[in-house]
């Protein structure tokens, strides 16, 4: 297979390792060391995609991250599909399969191109907004069609086979960019002894030095690169990260680096390897050595395949051994592009001419080109291109002295490639991420970073300093400075190498190349290739009143897309400035935000995916629940048994069985997830009195008490039972979900308001395994396994706790009940929880012991009218609203948290929503939770809503449905009827009642 | 991602270890019952939202568990200082 | 029991939480039901659970009586910020907060140590047995530090995290108390309820280096 554009012997590719790949279904060959872009160009592929809006054929323009067109869909298998891969940055591997992102039905023949051609004039900026946005209801339909016809890549529909991870890193000096300046900076900082990370987005360090013709220390520049990298590799304190793009520069020198660890090896990572890694780096100092991107010129039809950036052409020739055409015209405003002409000529192919906008260019490269016999057309510009799928010829004319129009007659030059250079734009993005606005520099003809907001230094091209000598000197200086700033001694024995490179003459500021036609009449002059933004569309935007650059951006889409306008932004700003009669600095820039290049979702998620996405918290008895078929409910991060279905049971069957077992025999619940806080200190009791609404002063050792916790607004936010373990020692329980919050709440008041109170709080949630046995047989069961506690009903009363031994394990047993039944909560050190649980199951078998889950627990407590904070409360209800005024001790001497809040005007006014019981007229009808109550179901919408259902179940105990809910003034409306309109138009009628549906006197728990 | 000096641990830690808890130096009134509804409402709900220096209450929730105060620039996110509960800031916004 | 200790027992509930010696009670450490997937030979990472230890949280805010009690009973002083001390028997005290330390002893010693401390100390302090609530994982091997770097953001470099230092920090989406025991050996103290999740995490993070469990 021949590669028509491959040059003999040039480049850094490995010709002994040919690689096969396919593009749009056709098979090609490239070499190890190629990018997909260089391999496509080597094979003479001109068209890599269709443009977004006009569907014009597009070819490769650049050789790096700034590439707007060669954005491909990668992946042979469905699972490994990767959208929007920049062909210029994707290293070739054997078997790589890629396809154009745009182009429907094919990239060579595109339906949209006809729409684009016919409708070109009818597709002004804002076209999609103006045309398709109304009626709004049809937008999804439009969008589907537009996306299919013109959209960017697609994600895989299958599970990603690869793994990704994050690595948290710290360093003294992070050097961004591994070109001349970055390598020098890393070397200097490394020699000083600093911990250094050097990150570069390419496979190889060296940047432009890899394809430079210049000499460092009397040797080719690439030799210096090899020596320097080798030296850095020997340093333990230096970490080299190739394939690594520093994508975000965040607060306090926190930077993210996206490292593509195996993307060059194949479409999925080799077994055991992580495909991509996100480094999260906290750096002492940052050296930005990000270089510069060459700007294309804006001229008519500048998007025809074959139009490229001059430096990219050089890169392809010298680094990859690919000359992307046969006959070259160079259009430039500066000396640098002359090197491209020389490189091209050296391959033996024809340089038609260098067209230089400057009347009197005088740099060394100009002389060298002329000496090599290259025709130089001075004071002139390429203003138009002929050809559709490849450049056929260009139109050249003299530039008037005002530079705003053409002068003199035109010349047509036959060629197939146009390499343009409008100068260089420093890559200021990362500096801008810190909030620093870039500053226009007339000498640089570009924006350079503004004043540093963070511990940041600059070196090389990012400052508009492009000579290798300057880059090296600034790199050494910045690296040494960063290291000394970080507290290291200045490195010794570092001498800036000697560089042989041509001197460079003055460049001309030119962005937009005038046409014979006015801007709006001329053929399309593209500014932003990826978004099809033309000079004329910017002009239209400014005439329609969008004069601020941020508005121009949003109206025209300039700088959107996966390339974020790396090529087009400065030209766009210059054209905007011209259109509104301002200077470029007056016009300013749009804001660059992270990320610099797109990052895969995999890298963002890292290992926080699949079973590691959310932690699962288990109790000490979790394995038993799993082994016994429990269905689980997520409560916070906890996995709690929900119910334990038996074969053939519906969920309601299981719940009925579990509920009746507790009412009639004995059931057991794993209650370990309740928050538990150990409280010690002589002021513990006082503290409880301040933080709970009820009284704690007289609670005796051995007793337990239920308490409500309120915010300063008087609204309930947690509840639980607190036991007096010793005179100065309490055990507080909290809701499962509220445990962490309550502990912080106690600490907040202790640390900020009442530090004088002597009390310590320690979480013991995980320490105690808690199992609740409840039901008439629970005492008998406990007696079988506990012989050192007097279980007599008068010796061990309801709301007492005792210390003893259960199943051989030291335990605290609390006679408290959330079901209304005789009930014991057994706490043992969690290491022994499984043992005790199994013993209880074993001995309980004769009583038909039934494990029950949270759903059954919810029904049992609802039968008793016990609230669940967060379900029956929602931070708008105070204790009186809940009918729990009995739990508020207004006479306490200290104004406890919540007291003042609940006495404000609104919490004390009439007709507040209050929690009540609800009995449906049809006892089999279970109200949906969340249903809204109304007084008059025939009222016109919007109806007056009285409150909503908070809890609703079928109660097997009562043989009917029960519910709790809020009703305005509900506590004074016992016996009244309310109505719940349903989605299907039906209405459920219910009577307001006490929420205590079962055993209202509480006899059962006191037996 | 801020890098925060915990005055209790005596070193810088990552923001992930901390939780922000609103404006600092909000003292619970000594005698809540003596407060008017308006005064109590101000205590509970009304907070500053300055552009520039702000004193905030933070807690080193995943670290030592201690609360502390921070003076932070809400524009640049620069942290001027962190200091313990009960201490007064040494950096304050200029009087307007 | 001394009179002082007896009075203490009315003020603070004390309880030997460990079953009597020789009982048939089976203890389960937090990770006893976790099934590790190991990768055999030449593992870069080794994990081992040191379950069923006695963990006591000590709290004291400058109470010199309590500090003296610790020195007398344990022969070690309460360490300063981010530091740890240990003795030859393997007892370790780790600083966790300006008024909080974590003491680990054998589980069977936890009660007697608490009693001895309470007998000696007066004033304001607290001692809380949390032995059931957490477990110790020893993480070692050439790639142990890489696993930590994937899991927590604290700087593990020896200049920031020397041997003996203790750091409580976020650990994956949970937390851990981390102590550097040797150049490539780390002690992780994690909460019981998160231990299965963290084991799964560590197993995954260590996968590329090879994992062995001892």
């Amino acid at each position: 297979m021949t590669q028509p554009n491959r040059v003999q012997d040039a480049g850094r590719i490995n010709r002994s390792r040919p690689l096969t790949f396919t593009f749009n279904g056709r098979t090609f060959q490239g070499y190890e060391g190629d990018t997909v872009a260089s391999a496509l160009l080597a094979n003479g592929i001109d068209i890599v995609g269709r443009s977004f809006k006009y569907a014009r054929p597009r070819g490769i323009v650049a050789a790096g991250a700034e590439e707007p067109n060669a954005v491909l869909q990668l992946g042979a298998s469905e699972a490994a599909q990767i959208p929007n891969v920049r062909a210029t940055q994707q290293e070739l591997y054997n078997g790589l399969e890629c396809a154009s992102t745009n182009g429907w039905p094919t990239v060579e023949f595109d339906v949209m191109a006809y729409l684009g051609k016919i409708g070109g004039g009818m597709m002004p900026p804002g076209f999609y907004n103006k045309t398709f946005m109304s009626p709004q209801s049809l937008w999804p339909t439009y969008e589907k069609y537009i996306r299919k016809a013109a959209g960017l890549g697609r994600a895989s529909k299958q599970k990603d086979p690869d793994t990704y991870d994050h690595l948290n890193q710290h360093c003294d000096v992070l050097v961004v960019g591994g070109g001349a300046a970055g390598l020098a900076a890393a070397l200097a900082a490394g020699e000083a002894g600093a911990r250094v990370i050097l990150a570069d987005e390419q496979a190889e360090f060296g940047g432009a030095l890899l394809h430079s013709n210049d000499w460092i220390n009397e040797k080719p520049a690439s030799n210096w690169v090899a020596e320097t990298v080798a030296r850095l590799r020997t340093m333990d304190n230096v970490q080299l990260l190739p394939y690594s793009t520093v994508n975000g520069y965040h607060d306090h020198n926190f930077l993210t680096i996206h490292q593509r660890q195996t993307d060059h090896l194949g479409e999925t990572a080799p077994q055991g390897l992580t495909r991509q890694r996100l480094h999260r780096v906290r750096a002492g100092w940052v050296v930005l050595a990000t270089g510069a991107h060459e700007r294309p010129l804006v001229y008519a039809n500048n998007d025809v395949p074959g139009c490229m950036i001059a430096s990219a052409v050089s890169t392809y020739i010298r680094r990859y051994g690919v000359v992307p055409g046969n006959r070259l015209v160079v259009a430039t405003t500066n000396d640098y592009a002359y090197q491209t002409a020389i490189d091209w000529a050296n391959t033996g192919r024809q340089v038609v001419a260098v067209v230089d906008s400057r009347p009197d260019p005088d740099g060394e490269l100009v002389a060298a080109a002329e000496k090599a016999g290259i025709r130089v057309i001075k004071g002139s510009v390429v203003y138009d291109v002929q050809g559709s799928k490849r450049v056929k010829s260009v139109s050249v004319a003299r530039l008037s002295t005002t530079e705003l129009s053409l002068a003199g007659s035109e010349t047509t030059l036959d060629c197939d490639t146009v390499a343009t250079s409008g100068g260089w734009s420093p890559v200021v993005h990362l500096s801008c991420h810190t909030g620093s606005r870039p500053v226009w520099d007339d000498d640089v003809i570009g924006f350079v970073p503004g004043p540093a907001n963070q511990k940041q230094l600059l070196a090389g091209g990012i400052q508009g300093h492009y000579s290798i000598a300057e880059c090296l000197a600034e790199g050494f200086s910045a690296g040494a400075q960063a290291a000394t700033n970080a507290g290291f001694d200045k490195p010794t024995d570092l001498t800036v190498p000697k560089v042989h490179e041509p001197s460079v003459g003055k460049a001309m500021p030119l962005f937009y190349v005038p046409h014979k036609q006015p801007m709006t009449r001329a053929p399309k002059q593209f500014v932003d290739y990826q978004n099809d933004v033309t000079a004329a569309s910017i002009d239209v935007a400014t005439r329609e009143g969008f004069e601020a650059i941020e508005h121009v951006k949003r109206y025209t889409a300039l700088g959107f897309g996966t390339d974020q306008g790396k090529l087009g932004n400065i030209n766009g700003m210059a054209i905007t400035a011209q259109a509104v009669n301002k200077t470029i600095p007056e016009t300013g820039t749009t804001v660059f935000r992270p990320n610099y290049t797109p990052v895969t979702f995999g890298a963002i998620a890292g290992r926080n995916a699949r079973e590691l996405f959310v932690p699962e918290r288990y109790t000490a008895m979790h394995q038993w629940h799993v082994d016994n078929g429990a269905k689980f409910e997520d409560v916070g991060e906890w996995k709690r048994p929900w119910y334990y279905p038996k074969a053939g049971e519906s969920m309601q069957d299981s719940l009925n069985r579990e509920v009746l077992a507790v009412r009639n025999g004995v059931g057991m619940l794993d209650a370990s997830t309740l928050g538990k806080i150990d409280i010690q200190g002589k002021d513990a009791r006082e503290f409880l009195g301040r933080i709970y609404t009820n009284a704690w002063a007289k609670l005796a050792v051995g007793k337990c008490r239920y308490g409500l916790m309120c915010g300063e607004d008087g609204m309930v936010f947690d509840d639980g039972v607190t036991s007096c373990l010793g005179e100065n020692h309490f055990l507080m329980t909290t809701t499962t979900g509220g445990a962490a919050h309550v502990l912080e709440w106690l600490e907040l008041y202790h640390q900020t308001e009442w530090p004088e109170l002597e009390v310590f709080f320690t979480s013991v949630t995980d320490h105690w395994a808690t199992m609740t046995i409840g039901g008439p047989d629970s005492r008998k069961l406990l007696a079988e396994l506990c012989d050192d506690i007097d279980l007599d009903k008068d010796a061990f009363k309801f709301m007492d706790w005792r210390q003893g031994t259960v199943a051989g394990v030291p335990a605290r047993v609390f006679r408290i009940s959330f079901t209304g039944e005789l009930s014991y909560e057994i706490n043992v050190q969690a290491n022994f929880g499984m043992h005790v649980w199994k013993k209880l199951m074993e001995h309980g078998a004769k009583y038909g012991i039934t494990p029950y889950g949270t759903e059954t627990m919810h029904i049992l407590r609802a039968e008793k009218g016990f609230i669940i904070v967060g379900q029956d409360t929602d931070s708008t209800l105070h204790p009186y609203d809940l009918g729990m005024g009995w739990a508020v001790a207004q006479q306490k001497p200290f104004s406890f948290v919540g007291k003042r809040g609940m006495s404000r005007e609104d919490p004390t006014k009439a007709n507040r929503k209050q929690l009540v019981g609800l009995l449906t007229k049809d006892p089999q009808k279970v109200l949906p939770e969340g249903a809204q109550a109304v007084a008059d179901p025939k009222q016109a919408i919007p109806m007056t809503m009285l409150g909503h259902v908070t809890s609703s179940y079928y109660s097997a105990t009562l043989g009917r449905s029960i519910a709790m809910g809020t009703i305005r003034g509900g506590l004074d409306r016992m016996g009244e009827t309310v109505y719940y309109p349903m989605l299907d138009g039906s209405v459920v009628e219910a009577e307001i009642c006490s929420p205590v549906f079962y055993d209202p006197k509480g006899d059962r728990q006191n037996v | 991602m801020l890098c925060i000096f915990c005055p209790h641990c005596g070193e810088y830690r990552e923001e992930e270890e901390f939780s922000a808890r609103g404006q600092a130096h909000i003292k619970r009134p000594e005698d809540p019952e003596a407060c008017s509804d308006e005064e109590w409402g101000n205590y509970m709900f009304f907070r500053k939202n300055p552009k520039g220096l702000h004193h905030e209450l933070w807690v080193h929730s995943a670290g030592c568990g201690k609360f502390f105060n921070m003076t932070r620039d809400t524009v640049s996110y620069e942290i001027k200082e962190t200091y313990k509960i009960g201490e007064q800031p040494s950096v304050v916004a200029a009087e307007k | 029991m001394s009179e002082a200790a007896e009075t203490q027992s009315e003020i603070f509930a004390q309880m030997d939480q460990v079953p009597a010696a020789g009982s048939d009670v089976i203890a389960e450490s937090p990770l006893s039901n976790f099934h590790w997937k190991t990768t055999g030979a030449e593992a870069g990472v080794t994990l081992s659970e040191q379950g069923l230890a006695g963990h006591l949280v000590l709290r004291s805010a400058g109470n010199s009586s309590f500090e003296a009690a610790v020195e007398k009973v344990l022969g070690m002083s309460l360490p300063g910020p981010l530091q740890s001390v240990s003795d030859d028997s393997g007892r370790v005290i780790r600083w966790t907060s300006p008024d909080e330390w974590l003491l680990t002893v054998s589980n069977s010693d936890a009660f007697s140590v608490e009693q001895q401390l309470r007998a000696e100390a007066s004033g304001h302090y607290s001692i809380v047995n949390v032995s059931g609530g957490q477990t110790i994982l020893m993480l070692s091997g050439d790639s142990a530090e890489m696993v930590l770097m994937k899991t927590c953001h604290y700087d593990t470099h020896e200049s920031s995290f020397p041997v003996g230092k203790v750091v409580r920090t976020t650990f994956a989406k949970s937390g851990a108390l981390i102590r550097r025991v040797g150049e490539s050996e780390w002690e992780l103290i994690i909460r019981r309820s998160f231990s299965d999740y963290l084991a799964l995490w560590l197993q995954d993070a260590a996968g590329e280096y090879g994992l062995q469990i001892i």
Side-chain angles (χ1 to χ4, degrees), chain B residues 8-9 11 13-14 16-17 62-64 66, chain C residues 82 96-99 153-154 165 168-170:
Chain B
H8 300 283
C9 291
E11 62 176 27
R13 297 290 186 92
E14 295 292 326
E16 275 179 52
E17 294 185 10
C64 66
K66 293 295 178 201
Chain C
L82 311 174
T96 50
S97 182
D99 56 9
H153 47 65
Y154 193 80
K165 188 169 181 177
R168 184 154 65 187
T169 183
T170 51

Side-chain angles (χ1 to χ4, degrees), chain A residues 268-301:
Chain A
T268 55
Q271 187 67 34
L273 290 186
T274 302
R275 183 168 157 242
Q276 296 181 353
R277 174 167 284 169
L278 193 74
H279 297 262
R280 307 166 78 245
V281 184
R282 183 71 69 180
W285 282 80
V286 170
V287 177
L288 295 180
T290 48
H293 288 146
E294 196 169 23
R295 274 195 303 273
L297 287 164
V298 178
Y299 50 96
N301 295 314

Side-chain angles (χ1 to χ4, degrees), chain A residues 100-133:
Chain A
S100 297
T101 294
N102 289 341
W104 175 63
T106 72
V107 70
E108 296 287 332
F109 175 80
D110 191 303
V111 168
M112 285 297 277
Y114 290 88
L115 178 60
K117 270 182 185 158
I118 301 159
M122 297 162 7
M123 290 175 85
F127 171 76
Y128 288 106
N129 288 339
K130 289 169 178 165
T131 311
F132 294 115
M133 277 316 275

Side-chain angles (χ1 to χ4, degrees), chain A residues 165-170 195 272-274 277 280 607-608 611-613 615-618 620 623 637-638 678 680-681 701 725-729 747 758-768 803 807-812 829-832 834-835 839, chain C residues 10-20 24-30 33 52 57 59-61 99 107 118 124-133 146 149-155 157 159 173 191-194 196-197 200-201 204-205 208-209:
Chain A
D165 66 16
H166 295 166
L167 199 66
N168 297 297
Q169 298 247 41
H170 300 260
R195 290 164 70 192
L273 290 186
T274 302
R277 174 167 284 169
R280 307 166 78 245
R607 288 185 185 269
N608 298 297
E611 71 271 27
L612 295 172
F613 180 55
E616 289 186 358
R617 297 178 70 181
Y618 299 155
Q623 190 60 44
E637 292 161 332
W638 288 98
D678 180 283
Q680 295 181 28
V701 177
L725 301 182
E727 190 51 36
N728 293 350
H729 192 179
E747 288 289 350
E758 290 193 346
V759 60
F760 283 120
F761 310 99
T762 306
S763 170
V764 286
T765 301
D766 287 20
H767 172 68
W768 297 106
Q803 183 168 315
V809 178
R812 286 190 186 132
Q829 189 179 111
N831 293 322
F832 311 111
M834 183 70 103
H835 171 86
K839 287 286 177 193
Chain C
E10 289 162 21
I11 297 172
F12 298 104
Q14 294 172 67
M15 172 178 163
D16 188 351
Q17 300 174 6
V18 179
D24 67 344
V25 173
I26 299 160
E28 288 192 356
S29 71
N33 288 301
L52 307 179
V57 172
R59 303 289 301 268
S60 158
D99 56 9
N107 204 6
R118 288 195 183 278
H124 180 41
Y125 66 89
S126 106
I127 303 169
V128 183
N129 187 330
V130 295
S131 309
M146 289 297 287
M149 289 167 74
K150 288 184 185 185
T151 310
C152 72
H153 47 65
Y154 193 80
D155 185 1
H157 191 265
S159 62
K173 286 183 176 172
R191 287 179 73 175
R192 178 179 204 105
S193 57
F194 285 100
D196 283 82
Y197 158 73
L200 205 59
W201 175 284
D204 186 53
E208 66 182 291
Y209 312 111

Side-chain angles (χ1 to χ4, degrees), chain B residues 22-63:
Chain B
Q23 187 177 332
H25 306 297
I26 304 286
K27 175 118 188 71
R28 189 173 197 260
E30 288 293 339
D31 185 0
E33 303 311 306
C35 291
S36 66
D37 275 8
E38 189 180 349
E39 284 164 342
W40 195 253
N42 282 337
Y43 160 64
M44 281 195 297
F45 301 122
F46 284 79
R47 299 293 181 266
K48 291 177 181 163
N49 183 23
K51 182 179 182 180
L53 287 189
H54 192 35
H55 306 291
E56 299 171 330
L57 178 66
W58 285 69
V59 58
H60 195 181
S61 35

Side-chain angles (χ1 to χ4, degrees), chain A residues 930-965:
Chain A
Q932 291 285 343
V934 299
D936 173 12
K938 296 199 173 68
Q939 188 188 358
I941 293 170
M943 302 168 93
T944 307
M945 292 180 286
L946 303 176
H948 69 283
V949 177
T950 59
S951 292
S952 180
Y953 311 93
Y954 178 78
S955 160
T957 311
L958 301 165
R960 62 154 298 141
S961 70
I962 55 170
M964 294 158 76

Side-chain angles (χ1 to χ4, degrees), chain A residues 378-392:
Chain A
K378 296 173 187 173
S380 299
V381 289
V382 169
Y383 71 88
D384 202 346
V385 169
Q386 291 78 46
S388 63
K389 292 183 179 175
R390 178 81 196 200
V391 173
K392 289 200 172 81

